[in-house]
């Protein structure tokens, strides 16, 4: 099993719809989880951290399922501007330095008018 | 406050040439990182530094060297460019552990 796995997509979703995608991770010792957003040919930017109890930021909801070792991202009322690649990022252990981060390959989302 | 600045934005190298990718940050961050991203792939860590004078290898260090003489600057050196080093290179920094990464705009390098 790869360290971090994501469905590459693309997910083609009509504007206004709800879309969700998951990311599975293999290291049960992983402690921190993040979703980054990357627009075409640009640098990744932090979308949100993922907390154990789940967390919400506007239209975005992130969930963590430790038992099944996956995190999820839900986007409600999708906008054209949500079109991007969403990167799942997981720490390899308990350390907090970014040298311990593993990046998924990303899920490509296309919101269609 | 410019954040993380990378130069150049684009570069084409011939096989065997050398170059230095520049990265500087004005946020006084101790931790700095170099990643490469190949098409359709996740970011891979090349080298990182937890402070001036301290550097360490990441997952894919072969063919690269770094130095960290100041807190602000973290240049990445390619000594003998190879086609396998064609990629997009991102520099990033964080103020401390568990902080989100601040990325530069990237350098797109082609080796032919």
């Amino acid at each position: 099993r790869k360290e971090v796995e994501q469905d590459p997509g693309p997910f083609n979703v009509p504007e206004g719809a709800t879309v969700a995608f998951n990311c599975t991770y293999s290291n049960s010792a992983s402690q921190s989880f993040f979703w980054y957003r990357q627009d075409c040919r640009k640098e990744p930017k932090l979308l949100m951290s993922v907390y154990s109890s789940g967390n919400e930021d506007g239209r975005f909801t992130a969930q963590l399922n430790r038992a099944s070792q996956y995190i999820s991202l839900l986007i409600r009322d999708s906008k054209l501007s949500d079109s991007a690649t969403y990167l799942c990022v997981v720490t390899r252990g308990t350390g907090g330095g970014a040298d311990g981060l593993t990046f998924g390959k990303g899920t490509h989302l296309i919101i269609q008018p | 406050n410019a954040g993380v600045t990378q130069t150049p934005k684009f570069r084409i190298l011939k096989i065997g040439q050398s170059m230095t990718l520049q990265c500087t940050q004005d946020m006084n961050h101790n931790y700095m990182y170099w990643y490469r991203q190949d098409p359709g792939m996740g970011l891979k860590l090349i080298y990182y530094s937890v402070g001036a004078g301290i550097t360490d290898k990441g997952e894919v260090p072969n063919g690269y060297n770094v130095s960290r003489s100041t807190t602000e600057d973290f240049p990445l050196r390619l000594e003998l460019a190879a086609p396998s080093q064609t990629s997009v290179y991102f520099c990033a920094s964080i103020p401390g552990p568990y902080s989100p990464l601040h990325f530069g705009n990237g350098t797109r390098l082609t080796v032919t």
Side-chain angles (χ1 to χ4, degrees):
Chain A
R1 188 180 190 181
K2 292 182 181 171
E3 284 190 82
V4 176
E5 284 196 84
Q6 295 183 253
D7 182 340
F11 284 52
N12 289 283
V13 174
E15 192 176 8
T18 295
V19 60
F21 28 84
N22 291 341
C23 163
T24 58
Y25 62 95
S26 61
N27 188 347
S28 59
S30 296
Q31 291 293 319
S32 299
F33 309 88
F34 310 91
W35 285 104
Y36 277 73
R37 171 195 168 124
Q38 185 172 27
D39 293 297
C40 186
R41 302 177 69 81
K42 296 206 171 165
E43 74 276 18
K45 293 184 179 176
L46 179 70
L47 179 66
M48 58 198 303
S49 301
V50 185
Y51 302 121
S52 296
S53 54
N55 47 298
E56 191 173 301
D57 183 0
R59 298 180 294 108
F60 298 84
T61 300
Q63 296 277 355
L64 167 64
N65 185 317
R66 284 195 185 276
S68 300
Q69 294 184 206
Y70 73 87
I71 63 172
S72 63
L73 180 67
L74 178 83
I75 306 174
R76 289 181 300 279
D77 187 24
S78 53
K79 313 288 185 193
L80 295 176
S81 57
D82 294 334
S83 296
T85 297
Y86 291 84
L87 307 178
C88 170
V89 183
V90 174
T91 58
R92 282 195 276 277
T94 57
D99 58 291
L101 293 177
T102 300
F103 285 77
K105 295 180 182 180
T107 294
H108 189 198
L109 175 64
I110 301 170
I111 306 299
Q112 296 173 327
Chain B
N1 192 337
V4 179
T5 303
Q6 289 183 240
T7 56
K9 284 187 167 45
F10 304 93
R11 184 72 186 268
I12 298 174
L13 281 182
K14 293 190 188 307
I15 294 171
Q17 285 186 319
S18 301
M19 78 163 293
T20 299
L21 282 66
Q22 301 291 347
C23 175
T24 188
Q25 51 91 9
D26 60 0
M27 298 174 284
N28 203 33
H29 287 177
N30 282 323
Y31 298 71
M32 294 188 74
Y33 304 86
W34 274 106
Y35 292 92
R36 61 176 285 173
Q37 186 177 33
D38 299 327
M41 303 295 286
L43 276 74
K44 298 292 184 185
L45 183 64
I46 305 171
Y47 269 96
Y48 67 99
S49 168
V50 299
I54 306 169
T55 62
D56 212 339
K57 295 178 180 178
E59 301 170 77
V60 291
N62 291 344
Y64 307 95
N65 275 302
V66 292
S67 60
R68 185 94 183 271
S69 55
T70 67
T71 299
E72 294 78 20
D73 300 308
F74 191 40
L76 178 72
R77 178 83 178 159
L78 282 71
E79 289 297 346
L80 290 171
S84 61
Q85 294 177 304
T86 293
S87 191
V88 180
Y89 292 83
F90 289 106
C91 179
S93 71
I94 56 174
Y98 304 105
S99 303
L101 286 159
H102 296 255
F103 284 93
N105 291 339
T107 294
R108 282 158 185 79
L109 176 67
T110 302
V111 182
T112 62

